[in-house]
mmCIF file of all heavy atoms in Angstrom:
data_model
loop_
_atom_site.group_PDB
_atom_site.id
_atom_site.type_symbol
_atom_site.label_atom_id
_atom_site.label_comp_id
_atom_site.label_asym_id
_atom_site.label_seq_id
_atom_site.Cartn_x
_atom_site.Cartn_y
_atom_site.Cartn_z
ATOM 1 N N TYR A 53 94.117 85.839 105.227
ATOM 2 C CA TYR A 53 93.801 84.747 104.344
ATOM 3 C C TYR A 53 94.652 83.471 104.739
ATOM 4 O O TYR A 53 95.752 83.654 105.097
ATOM 5 C CB TYR A 53 94.061 85.124 102.827
ATOM 6 C CG TYR A 53 93.660 86.450 102.442
ATOM 7 C CD1 TYR A 53 94.232 87.619 102.733
ATOM 8 C CD2 TYR A 53 92.360 86.604 101.608
ATOM 9 C CE1 TYR A 53 93.853 88.816 102.332
ATOM 10 C CE2 TYR A 53 91.988 87.759 101.176
ATOM 11 C CZ TYR A 53 92.615 88.940 101.538
ATOM 12 O OH TYR A 53 92.175 90.160 101.107
ATOM 13 N N TYR A 55 95.888 80.123 102.545
ATOM 14 C CA TYR A 55 96.049 79.444 101.251
ATOM 15 C C TYR A 55 96.681 78.070 101.441
ATOM 16 O O TYR A 55 97.485 77.899 102.378
ATOM 17 C CB TYR A 55 96.921 80.250 100.277
ATOM 18 C CG TYR A 55 96.360 81.409 99.735
ATOM 19 C CD1 TYR A 55 96.369 82.644 100.391
ATOM 20 C CD2 TYR A 55 95.800 81.534 98.476
ATOM 21 C CE1 TYR A 55 95.917 83.829 99.851
ATOM 22 C CE2 TYR A 55 95.320 82.680 97.893
ATOM 23 C CZ TYR A 55 95.390 83.778 98.619
ATOM 24 O OH TYR A 55 94.861 85.008 98.094
ATOM 25 N N GLN A 57 99.160 75.234 99.505
ATOM 26 C CA GLN A 57 99.951 75.019 98.189
ATOM 27 C C GLN A 57 100.467 73.600 98.152
ATOM 28 O O GLN A 57 101.355 73.271 98.845
ATOM 29 C CB GLN A 57 101.148 76.076 98.035
ATOM 30 C CG GLN A 57 101.902 75.941 96.598
ATOM 31 C CD GLN A 57 102.926 77.001 96.519
ATOM 32 O OE1 GLN A 57 103.463 77.488 97.500
ATOM 33 N NE2 GLN A 57 102.981 77.425 95.173
ATOM 34 N N PRO A 62 98.580 74.621 91.783
ATOM 35 C CA PRO A 62 98.616 76.106 92.095
ATOM 36 C C PRO A 62 98.085 76.450 93.553
ATOM 37 O O PRO A 62 97.417 75.431 94.200
ATOM 38 C CB PRO A 62 97.625 76.816 91.066
ATOM 39 C CG PRO A 62 97.398 75.712 90.124
ATOM 40 C CD PRO A 62 97.637 74.422 90.745
ATOM 41 N N LEU A 63 98.313 77.561 94.094
ATOM 42 C CA LEU A 63 97.906 78.051 95.301
ATOM 43 C C LEU A 63 96.282 78.015 95.325
ATOM 44 O O LEU A 63 95.747 78.368 94.339
ATOM 45 C CB LEU A 63 98.317 79.417 95.609
ATOM 46 C CG LEU A 63 99.695 79.560 96.430
ATOM 47 C CD1 LEU A 63 100.825 79.611 95.270
ATOM 48 C CD2 LEU A 63 99.736 80.837 97.248
ATOM 49 N N VAL A 75 84.585 85.724 105.649
ATOM 50 C CA VAL A 75 83.774 86.120 104.642
ATOM 51 C C VAL A 75 83.912 85.174 103.481
ATOM 52 O O VAL A 75 83.001 85.165 102.485
ATOM 53 C CB VAL A 75 84.195 87.513 104.065
ATOM 54 C CG1 VAL A 75 83.848 88.565 105.086
ATOM 55 C CG2 VAL A 75 85.654 87.584 103.619
ATOM 56 N N GLU A 76 84.690 84.116 103.462
ATOM 57 C CA GLU A 76 84.631 83.100 102.536
ATOM 58 C C GLU A 76 85.329 81.802 103.112
ATOM 59 O O GLU A 76 86.244 81.848 103.756
ATOM 60 C CB GLU A 76 85.540 83.497 101.342
ATOM 61 C CG GLU A 76 85.634 82.453 100.173
ATOM 62 C CD GLU A 76 85.539 83.131 98.860
ATOM 63 O OE1 GLU A 76 84.970 84.204 98.630
ATOM 64 O OE2 GLU A 76 85.879 82.369 97.925
ATOM 65 N N LEU A 110 100.053 78.778 103.576
ATOM 66 C CA LEU A 110 100.455 80.250 103.462
ATOM 67 C C LEU A 110 99.446 81.161 104.063
ATOM 68 O O LEU A 110 98.203 80.950 103.811
ATOM 69 C CB LEU A 110 100.746 80.572 101.988
ATOM 70 C CG LEU A 110 101.917 79.871 101.495
ATOM 71 C CD1 LEU A 110 101.848 79.822 99.937
ATOM 72 C CD2 LEU A 110 103.230 80.596 101.836
ATOM 73 N N SER A 114 95.961 91.729 103.732
ATOM 74 C CA SER A 114 95.831 93.014 102.880
ATOM 75 C C SER A 114 95.121 94.055 103.667
ATOM 76 O O SER A 114 94.440 93.846 104.588
ATOM 77 C CB SER A 114 95.145 92.669 101.560
ATOM 78 O OG SER A 114 93.794 92.233 101.746
ATOM 79 N N GLU A 116 92.496 95.909 103.049
ATOM 80 C CA GLU A 116 91.033 95.680 103.102
ATOM 81 C C GLU A 116 90.816 94.337 102.336
ATOM 82 O O GLU A 116 91.547 94.001 101.454
ATOM 83 C CB GLU A 116 90.239 96.805 102.625
ATOM 84 C CG GLU A 116 90.561 98.113 103.316
ATOM 85 C CD GLU A 116 89.887 98.260 104.656
ATOM 86 O OE1 GLU A 116 89.123 97.350 105.067
ATOM 87 O OE2 GLU A 116 90.397 99.087 105.456
ATOM 88 N N VAL A 117 89.531 93.785 102.556
ATOM 89 C CA VAL A 117 89.255 92.505 101.700
ATOM 90 C C VAL A 117 88.676 92.941 100.338
ATOM 91 O O VAL A 117 88.852 92.091 99.455
ATOM 92 C CB VAL A 117 88.209 91.770 102.610
ATOM 93 C CG1 VAL A 117 86.924 92.355 102.538
ATOM 94 C CG2 VAL A 117 88.147 90.277 101.972
ATOM 95 N N THR A 118 88.212 94.074 100.266
ATOM 96 C CA THR A 118 87.550 94.393 98.896
ATOM 97 C C THR A 118 88.224 95.346 98.108
ATOM 98 O O THR A 118 87.828 95.883 97.155
ATOM 99 C CB THR A 118 86.008 94.991 99.174
ATOM 100 O OG1 THR A 118 86.141 96.142 100.124
ATOM 101 C CG2 THR A 118 85.111 93.896 99.790
ATOM 102 N N SER A 119 89.401 95.778 98.522
ATOM 103 C CA SER A 119 90.178 96.700 97.844
ATOM 104 C C SER A 119 91.105 95.979 96.870
ATOM 105 O O SER A 119 91.201 94.776 96.914
ATOM 106 C CB SER A 119 91.145 97.516 98.764
ATOM 107 O OG SER A 119 92.214 96.905 99.231
ATOM 108 N N SER A 120 91.859 96.714 96.104
ATOM 109 C CA SER A 120 92.713 96.052 95.093
ATOM 110 C C SER A 120 94.174 96.168 95.664
ATOM 111 O O SER A 120 95.130 96.140 94.914
ATOM 112 C CB SER A 120 92.724 96.817 93.761
ATOM 113 O OG SER A 120 92.897 98.211 93.933
ATOM 114 N N TYR A 121 94.326 96.464 96.826
ATOM 115 C CA TYR A 121 95.604 96.345 97.593
ATOM 116 C C TYR A 121 96.255 95.111 97.458
ATOM 117 O O TYR A 121 95.622 93.956 97.444
ATOM 118 C CB TYR A 121 95.606 96.905 99.067
ATOM 119 C CG TYR A 121 95.176 98.261 99.232
ATOM 120 C CD1 TYR A 121 94.176 98.531 100.284
ATOM 121 C CD2 TYR A 121 95.741 99.350 98.568
ATOM 122 C CE1 TYR A 121 93.837 99.817 100.332
ATOM 123 C CE2 TYR A 121 95.371 100.608 98.800
ATOM 124 C CZ TYR A 121 94.415 100.876 99.676
ATOM 125 O OH TYR A 121 93.932 102.157 99.885
ATOM 126 N N GLU A 122 97.462 94.988 97.309
ATOM 127 C CA GLU A 122 98.289 93.798 97.171
ATOM 128 C C GLU A 122 98.173 93.009 98.512
ATOM 129 O O GLU A 122 98.030 93.608 99.603
ATOM 130 C CB GLU A 122 99.783 94.101 96.781
ATOM 131 C CG GLU A 122 100.573 94.881 97.832
ATOM 132 C CD GLU A 122 100.585 96.321 97.515
ATOM 133 O OE1 GLU A 122 99.584 96.769 96.777
ATOM 134 O OE2 GLU A 122 101.545 96.968 97.806
ATOM 135 N N GLN A 123 98.436 91.759 98.405
ATOM 136 C CA GLN A 123 98.506 90.790 99.435
ATOM 137 C C GLN A 123 100.028 90.581 99.952
ATOM 138 O O GLN A 123 100.712 90.375 98.973
ATOM 139 C CB GLN A 123 97.776 89.458 99.198
ATOM 140 C CG GLN A 123 96.266 89.754 99.171
ATOM 141 C CD GLN A 123 95.612 88.349 98.884
ATOM 142 O OE1 GLN A 123 96.174 87.281 99.198
ATOM 143 N NE2 GLN A 123 94.286 88.354 98.629
ATOM 144 N N PHE A 125 102.322 88.016 101.860
ATOM 145 C CA PHE A 125 102.274 86.462 102.352
ATOM 146 C C PHE A 125 103.483 86.330 103.393
ATOM 147 O O PHE A 125 104.420 86.955 103.445
ATOM 148 C CB PHE A 125 102.707 85.669 101.118
ATOM 149 C CG PHE A 125 101.434 85.503 100.188
ATOM 150 C CD1 PHE A 125 101.107 86.468 99.404
ATOM 151 C CD2 PHE A 125 100.579 84.437 100.262
ATOM 152 C CE1 PHE A 125 100.094 86.308 98.450
ATOM 153 C CE2 PHE A 125 99.531 84.207 99.413
ATOM 154 C CZ PHE A 125 99.288 85.254 98.529
ATOM 155 N N GLY A 126 103.040 85.344 104.255
ATOM 156 C CA GLY A 126 104.062 84.876 105.127
ATOM 157 C C GLY A 126 104.931 83.868 104.415
ATOM 158 O O GLY A 126 104.660 83.507 103.334
ATOM 159 N N HIS B 58 97.748 91.821 87.534
ATOM 160 C CA HIS B 58 98.664 91.782 88.801
ATOM 161 C C HIS B 58 99.691 90.854 88.506
ATOM 162 O O HIS B 58 99.460 89.807 87.894
ATOM 163 C CB HIS B 58 97.960 91.473 89.977
ATOM 164 C CG HIS B 58 97.106 92.518 90.566
ATOM 165 N ND1 HIS B 58 97.361 93.061 91.913
ATOM 166 C CD2 HIS B 58 96.019 93.207 90.066
ATOM 167 C CE1 HIS B 58 96.514 94.016 92.071
ATOM 168 N NE2 HIS B 58 95.589 94.062 91.133
ATOM 169 N N TYR B 60 102.670 88.583 90.667
ATOM 170 C CA TYR B 60 103.386 88.100 91.926
ATOM 171 C C TYR B 60 104.467 87.208 91.548
ATOM 172 O O TYR B 60 104.500 86.650 90.492
ATOM 173 C CB TYR B 60 102.334 87.390 92.754
ATOM 174 C CG TYR B 60 101.561 88.278 93.613
ATOM 175 C CD1 TYR B 60 100.372 89.007 92.983
ATOM 176 C CD2 TYR B 60 101.492 88.559 95.001
ATOM 177 C CE1 TYR B 60 99.584 89.800 93.721
ATOM 178 C CE2 TYR B 60 100.674 89.361 95.763
ATOM 179 C CZ TYR B 60 99.733 89.963 95.016
ATOM 180 O OH TYR B 60 98.916 90.790 95.774
ATOM 181 N N GLN B 62 107.175 83.995 93.382
ATOM 182 C CA GLN B 62 107.368 83.202 94.603
ATOM 183 C C GLN B 62 108.894 82.595 94.510
ATOM 184 O O GLN B 62 109.067 81.897 93.690
ATOM 185 C CB GLN B 62 106.288 82.029 94.677
ATOM 186 C CG GLN B 62 106.530 81.344 95.951
ATOM 187 C CD GLN B 62 105.289 80.288 96.163
ATOM 188 O OE1 GLN B 62 104.587 80.001 95.156
ATOM 189 N NE2 GLN B 62 105.096 79.776 97.282
ATOM 190 N N SER B 65 111.147 78.499 98.578
ATOM 191 C CA SER B 65 110.916 78.277 100.110
ATOM 192 C C SER B 65 110.360 79.404 100.642
ATOM 193 O O SER B 65 110.540 79.826 101.841
ATOM 194 C CB SER B 65 112.181 77.907 100.719
ATOM 195 O OG SER B 65 112.745 76.745 100.340
ATOM 196 N N GLN B 66 109.703 80.349 99.893
ATOM 197 C CA GLN B 66 109.012 81.542 100.393
ATOM 198 C C GLN B 66 107.632 81.774 99.954
ATOM 199 O O GLN B 66 107.125 81.085 98.998
ATOM 200 C CB GLN B 66 109.762 82.836 99.969
ATOM 201 C CG GLN B 66 111.161 83.042 100.643
ATOM 202 C CD GLN B 66 111.894 84.253 100.293
ATOM 203 O OE1 GLN B 66 111.193 85.378 100.110
ATOM 204 N NE2 GLN B 66 113.194 84.300 100.048
ATOM 205 N N GLY B 67 106.806 82.515 100.646
ATOM 206 C CA GLY B 67 105.578 82.767 100.089
ATOM 207 C C GLY B 67 105.560 83.798 98.902
ATOM 208 O O GLY B 67 106.583 84.449 98.711
ATOM 209 N N PRO B 68 104.453 83.902 98.103
ATOM 210 C CA PRO B 68 104.451 84.872 97.004
ATOM 211 C C PRO B 68 104.731 86.278 97.551
ATOM 212 O O PRO B 68 104.425 86.669 98.674
ATOM 213 C CB PRO B 68 103.174 84.679 96.381
ATOM 214 C CG PRO B 68 102.594 83.328 96.912
ATOM 215 C CD PRO B 68 103.270 83.181 98.208
ATOM 216 N N TYR B 70 104.183 90.508 96.066
ATOM 217 C CA TYR B 70 103.532 91.328 94.998
ATOM 218 C C TYR B 70 104.821 91.882 94.251
ATOM 219 O O TYR B 70 105.831 92.324 94.741
ATOM 220 C CB TYR B 70 102.889 92.414 95.658
ATOM 221 C CG TYR B 70 102.477 93.720 94.792
ATOM 222 C CD1 TYR B 70 101.402 93.526 93.900
ATOM 223 C CD2 TYR B 70 103.175 94.823 94.902
ATOM 224 C CE1 TYR B 70 101.103 94.488 93.166
ATOM 225 C CE2 TYR B 70 102.911 95.783 93.977
ATOM 226 C CZ TYR B 70 101.822 95.811 93.224
ATOM 227 O OH TYR B 70 101.393 96.758 92.394
ATOM 228 N N TYR B 111 103.845 84.839 88.680
ATOM 229 C CA TYR B 111 102.303 84.621 88.448
ATOM 230 C C TYR B 111 101.666 85.909 87.854
ATOM 231 O O TYR B 111 101.834 86.954 88.438
ATOM 232 C CB TYR B 111 101.637 84.204 89.608
ATOM 233 C CG TYR B 111 102.100 82.978 90.310
ATOM 234 C CD1 TYR B 111 102.968 83.034 91.466
ATOM 235 C CD2 TYR B 111 101.716 81.776 89.956
ATOM 236 C CE1 TYR B 111 103.473 81.910 92.065
ATOM 237 C CE2 TYR B 111 102.184 80.494 90.584
ATOM 238 C CZ TYR B 111 102.976 80.724 91.554
ATOM 239 O OH TYR B 111 103.408 79.487 92.309
ATOM 240 N N ARG B 115 92.439 90.574 88.216
ATOM 241 C CA ARG B 115 91.605 90.802 89.246
ATOM 242 C C ARG B 115 90.548 91.838 89.022
ATOM 243 O O ARG B 115 90.785 92.948 88.470
ATOM 244 C CB ARG B 115 92.396 91.303 90.514
ATOM 245 C CG ARG B 115 93.542 90.211 90.877
ATOM 246 C CD ARG B 115 94.356 90.758 92.086
ATOM 247 N NE ARG B 115 93.521 90.791 93.317
ATOM 248 C CZ ARG B 115 93.948 91.418 94.493
ATOM 249 N NH1 ARG B 115 95.031 91.913 94.450
ATOM 250 N NH2 ARG B 115 93.151 91.286 95.457
ATOM 251 N N ASP B 118 87.169 96.689 92.802
ATOM 252 C CA ASP B 118 86.379 96.643 94.066
ATOM 253 C C ASP B 118 84.830 96.625 93.891
ATOM 254 O O ASP B 118 84.143 95.992 94.566
ATOM 255 C CB ASP B 118 86.805 97.740 95.091
ATOM 256 C CG ASP B 118 88.166 97.626 95.469
ATOM 257 O OD1 ASP B 118 88.789 96.566 95.231
ATOM 258 O OD2 ASP B 118 88.736 98.589 95.856
ATOM 259 N N GLY B 122 83.381 91.629 94.400
ATOM 260 C CA GLY B 122 84.221 90.521 94.734
ATOM 261 C C GLY B 122 85.184 90.626 95.844
ATOM 262 O O GLY B 122 85.658 91.743 96.238
ATOM 263 N N TYR B 123 85.514 89.590 96.523
ATOM 264 C CA TYR B 123 86.481 89.700 97.538
ATOM 265 C C TYR B 123 87.938 89.818 96.860
ATOM 266 O O TYR B 123 88.061 89.660 95.731
ATOM 267 C CB TYR B 123 86.546 88.476 98.504
ATOM 268 C CG TYR B 123 85.203 88.174 99.140
ATOM 269 C CD1 TYR B 123 84.452 86.987 98.877
ATOM 270 C CD2 TYR B 123 84.610 89.111 99.973
ATOM 271 C CE1 TYR B 123 83.239 86.932 99.528
ATOM 272 C CE2 TYR B 123 83.435 88.999 100.526
ATOM 273 C CZ TYR B 123 82.756 87.871 100.297
ATOM 274 O OH TYR B 123 81.509 87.741 100.916
ATOM 275 N N ASN B 124 88.918 90.154 97.746
ATOM 276 C CA ASN B 124 90.165 90.367 97.341
ATOM 277 C C ASN B 124 90.856 89.133 96.790
ATOM 278 O O ASN B 124 91.957 88.773 97.398
ATOM 279 C CB ASN B 124 90.951 91.122 98.383
ATOM 280 C CG ASN B 124 92.251 91.917 97.784
ATOM 281 O OD1 ASN B 124 92.354 91.917 96.629
ATOM 282 N ND2 ASN B 124 92.918 92.490 98.660
ATOM 283 N N LYS B 125 90.257 88.350 95.900
ATOM 284 C CA LYS B 125 90.679 87.166 95.515
ATOM 285 C C LYS B 125 91.931 87.114 94.578
ATOM 286 O O LYS B 125 92.062 87.955 93.676
ATOM 287 C CB LYS B 125 89.677 86.292 94.826
ATOM 288 C CG LYS B 125 88.715 85.564 95.637
ATOM 289 C CD LYS B 125 87.744 84.822 94.777
ATOM 290 C CE LYS B 125 86.883 83.951 95.546
ATOM 291 N NZ LYS B 125 85.949 83.145 94.798
ATOM 292 N N LEU B 126 92.881 86.409 94.961
ATOM 293 C CA LEU B 126 93.950 86.024 94.010
ATOM 294 C C LEU B 126 93.859 84.729 93.526
ATOM 295 O O LEU B 126 93.941 83.771 94.471
ATOM 296 C CB LEU B 126 95.436 86.289 94.748
ATOM 297 C CG LEU B 126 95.789 87.653 95.029
ATOM 298 C CD1 LEU B 126 97.159 87.596 95.807
ATOM 299 C CD2 LEU B 126 96.045 88.335 93.685
ATOM 300 N N PHE B 128 95.664 81.899 91.547
ATOM 301 C CA PHE B 128 97.012 81.560 91.121
ATOM 302 C C PHE B 128 96.887 80.515 90.064
ATOM 303 O O PHE B 128 96.203 79.520 90.109
ATOM 304 C CB PHE B 128 97.935 81.184 92.137
ATOM 305 C CG PHE B 128 98.428 82.386 92.948
ATOM 306 C CD1 PHE B 128 97.652 82.709 94.122
ATOM 307 C CD2 PHE B 128 99.607 82.981 92.867
ATOM 308 C CE1 PHE B 128 97.973 83.739 94.901
ATOM 309 C CE2 PHE B 128 100.050 84.006 93.626
ATOM 310 C CZ PHE B 128 99.158 84.276 94.715
ATOM 311 N N GLY B 129 97.553 80.756 88.962
ATOM 312 C CA GLY B 129 97.747 79.530 87.945
ATOM 313 C C GLY B 129 99.115 79.005 88.138
ATOM 314 O O GLY B 129 99.588 78.963 89.383
ATOM 315 N N ALA B 130 99.628 78.281 87.209
ATOM 316 C CA ALA B 130 100.902 77.549 87.391
ATOM 317 C C ALA B 130 102.030 78.540 87.263
ATOM 318 O O ALA B 130 103.159 78.147 87.789
ATOM 319 C CB ALA B 130 101.035 76.451 86.255
#
Side-chain angles (χ1 to χ4, degrees):
Chain A
Y53 312 79
Y55 288 84
Q57 187 171 32
L63 277 82
V75 295
E76 179 135 343
L110 290 156
S114 63
E116 303 290 345
V117 71
T118 55
S119 76
S120 59
Y121 293 131
E122 60 266 29
Q123 290 187 14
F125 285 79
Chain B
H58 285 245
Y60 281 71
Q62 187 171 16
S65 302
Q66 295 188 30
Y70 167 81
Y111 301 99
R115 301 182 69 191
D118 298 341
Y123 301 121
N124 200 3
K125 274 188 181 180
L126 283 177
F128 288 82

